[in-house]
Every structure is written in C-alpha cells, then in structure tokens.
Amino acid sequence: KQWYQRRVAITAGDLRRKAEIRRKDKIESCDVSLVANTYGSYNEGSCALECKDKAIHEACGCVNVVPPLNNGKYRSCNLEEWVKCGLKAYRSWYDDYTNPDLSTKICPCSTACEEIRYEAQISSSSVSPAFAAGIFPGVQPIISLPQYGYSKPEFDILYNSTDDILKNVMVLEVLFTSMRTSEIREIINYDMGNLLGDIGGVLGLFLGASLFTILEFIQFVVFSIMKYCFNIGGPKHSALNGEKEAI
C-alpha cells in the first residue's frame, strides 16, 4: 500500500531537445536501420525502455505504462496485476540491467546514426487543499468507480473526498523550457587524406623524397627497361656509313 499512496504535488517536467548525428558513410559503429521503436525516435534510452516492456510483458502479459506508439502491442497492467506480478518482474529486470555482465545480453542496444534525446529536469511543489477541492468535482465521478481501476478499497485507495485527492493524486505537467535544440555532429578528423599526408611528410623528412622524386624514379626504371630490354634509345649501326648513331 505504501507504494501507491503519495502526497499530492504538482510535478513539472522541463524538457530540452538534444540531437546526435553521426556520419553514415564512414562511421561503422552506428546502425542505419535503427530509426524508430515503440517510444518514437530510436535512442539508447528508448531501447532500454522497450527492453523493459518486453521483459515485463513476457512475465505478466502486461506493462506498467503503455508506450506512445503501442499499436495494440501491449496493454497496461491494472493495479492488482502490477502488485502481484509486474513489480517483481520489473525489479528482476532492473537487477539484470544494472549488472555490467548481463546488461548487454538482455538489452543489446546498438548506437543509431541519428539519435534524438529529451533531457528532463523534474521539479515539484505541494498542492493546496483549495486546488484539490477545485479538481475534485471533475475527476471524482471517474476515479471513484472501481471498474476504471483507480479506486481500490482493498488497498485503501479511495476517491470519495478532497482528502482522498490530497492523499493519492499527483498532477504532472510536461513542457519545453526552451525551443532551442542542441545538436552534436560526429565527424572523422583523421581520414585517408591525413594518413597519406603524414606518410609523405615522414618520407620527405627522413629520405628527402617527394612526389616529384618518386615520379622521376619511376621514369628512370621505365626508361632503363626500355633501353636494356628492348634497345630503345640505345646506339645502333647506320645503314649508310656503318657508323653507330644514337637514336
């Protein structure tokens, strides 16, 4: 019972959008096929949440919170299912996920080439009895009926008065603190061009070699082969006076 009764508070979740982009053509550590999942845009955080949902669903046939892009894949656990099965399955998954030796086995979350994250900052404040009295007439007809799953007399969770609202209801507000987006791009600073430049610099420093000397050496080898193997450019006898002439 202590897990579900809470003092009422207004909790605000301030979001900030952050994008991470990696070059698809040269960075092999990212997977171009990872674009979206049941939590929207793919990132390692949403991959872990989807992994958690799969573990709880396999154990209990339901999940604690239905993901935004569910499409009928999961259903939400009611309070009884969560107390009897869901909480135990979640704790077992959490113990394995926080274990460095098991986390990559149960949740093999690869890195996407484009990831969008929403960094959240949570703040909360107490709600006055006047606020609870104001929202009570609007929510009481729904949350007081046991068939909706909110009211559970066996757990002493009831919504028959303003005091019950103060004891069991939490108000959550989610908003963007700023419309600015922080974007991080991952690029390659040392590529093949840098490697060839460094090799040429080392050869020029220690051997005095450069691109022109290498071309001259190739030219020397080619002319030598032509001269001594095919007698091209070498001396030969003139047909008129029998003297040797260089062609």
Side-chain angles (χ1 to χ4, degrees), residues 49-106:
L49 292 175
E50 192 173 46
C51 177
K52 177 206 66 175
D53 290 342
K54 290 180 180 178
I56 298 177
H57 186 265
E58 290 176 358
C60 307
C62 59
V63 296
N64 57 337
V65 178
V66 174
L69 303 181
N70 183 41
N71 296 326
K73 188 175 182 180
Y74 303 118
R75 69 174 183 86
S76 180
C77 297
N78 57 40
L79 188 59
E80 183 176 359
E81 290 174 326
W82 181 251
V83 171
K84 292 182 177 180
C85 179
L87 184 61
K88 181 180 178 181
Y90 169 74
R91 287 178 171 175
S92 176
W93 172 86
Y94 182 80
D95 291 339
D96 293 338
Y97 182 72
T98 53
N99 186 341
D101 298 329
L102 299 176
S103 59
T104 55
K105 296 180 181 179
I106 63 173

Side-chain angles (χ1 to χ4, degrees), residues 225-238:
I225 294 174
M226 293 173 63
K227 179 178 180 181
Y228 294 104
C229 295
F230 302 100
N231 198 26
I232 299 176
K236 70 175 185 178
H237 294 282
S238 172

